[in-house]
Amino acid sequence: MQFHFDTLPLYELIDSTLQSNQGYAQSFDIALCHESQTDQVIHVRVDAQRFVQVLSNLLSNAIKFSRPHGQVDVRVSVIDDQVRVEVQDYGIGISEEFKSSIFQKFTQEDAKAARKYAGTGLGLSLSKTMIEKMGGQIGFISTENLGSCFYITLPIVAALTPSLTEA
């Protein structure tokens, strides 16, 4: 897997990924919502294509495992010199038994899920590998029957506060 790193504005990557997944979300009657807890323009050093692939995977999983007429929230926050991007759904969640193997290759919670949700069980394993190659981490918090929050943390390359004249 080759990587081509560039320093890019995070919000542009997120916005383009949300736009490209909008049709998929609509097919499941799921609203995509984006919220930022900072007004800074944050730059990260990533392979744009790989970052979009990871975020798209998290979004498509959140959409698939949400309840009809639900929503998926994408939140951005800054913690010290790291940015955290969260993808939160309010769907079926992940069982305690399955949590320890969630990032392993070819894993899905059960055979019925593989048929019902149409996946190979490779997305999260690949996402973990790609985010780690970009210097970040991936993790999740989930409660069965309440939903899951998958998050990515990446080092901030630059964080610029927009001047008042730009507003």
Side-chain angles (χ1 to χ4, degrees):
M1 199 179 315
Q2 291 186 333
F3 285 77
H4 303 285
F5 290 94
D6 287 305
T7 299
L8 301 164
L10 178 64
Y11 294 120
E12 288 180 19
L13 293 168
I14 292 172
D15 286 341
S16 68
T17 307
L18 286 169
Q19 287 176 18
S20 66
N21 283 277
Q22 191 64 43
Y24 187 67
Q26 288 173 342
S27 73
F28 282 82
D29 196 20
I30 302 295
L32 296 179
C33 302
H34 179 223
E35 170 188 319
S36 177
Q37 297 173 352
T38 180
D39 63 350
Q40 295 175 317
V41 177
I42 296 169
H43 287 78
V44 291
R45 184 159 174 77
V46 295
D47 177 308
Q49 182 179 350
R50 303 290 183 203
F51 178 85
V52 167
Q53 187 177 352
V54 170
L55 188 55
S56 290
N57 179 260
L58 297 182
L59 285 168
S60 68
N61 284 347
I63 292 164
K64 279 192 292 192
F65 294 106
S66 287
R67 301 186 197 296
H69 317 296
Q71 79 178 39
V72 170
D73 293 326
V74 178
R75 294 184 292 264
V76 177
S77 59
V78 173
I79 305 165
D80 298 324
D81 61 347
Q82 303 274 314
V83 64
R84 179 171 163 141
V85 179
E86 298 178 348
V87 177
Q88 171 79 53
D89 71 63
Y90 305 93
I92 64 173
I94 300 164
S95 70
E96 287 299 319
E97 301 81 38
F98 189 63
K99 286 180 180 179
S100 63
S101 60
I102 195 85
F103 291 110
Q104 293 176 7
K105 291 180 183 177
F106 304 111
T107 57
Q108 290 191 331
E109 191 145 10
D110 61 34
K112 288 181 196 170
R115 286 191 303 274
K116 182 176 180 183
Y117 298 110
T120 62
L122 280 173
L124 289 174
S125 175
L126 286 171
S127 293
K128 180 175 175 25
T129 299
M130 287 187 275
I131 284 298
E132 289 175 352
K133 294 256 188 209
M134 290 185 270
Q137 296 180 334
I138 189 171
F140 71 98
I141 300 165
S142 183
T143 304
E144 201 168 1
N145 296 315
L146 294 179
S148 302
C149 178
F150 279 80
Y151 57 85
I152 301 165
T153 58
L154 288 165
I156 296 172
V157 174
L160 311 168
T161 303
S163 68
L164 294 176
T165 57
E166 293 178 17

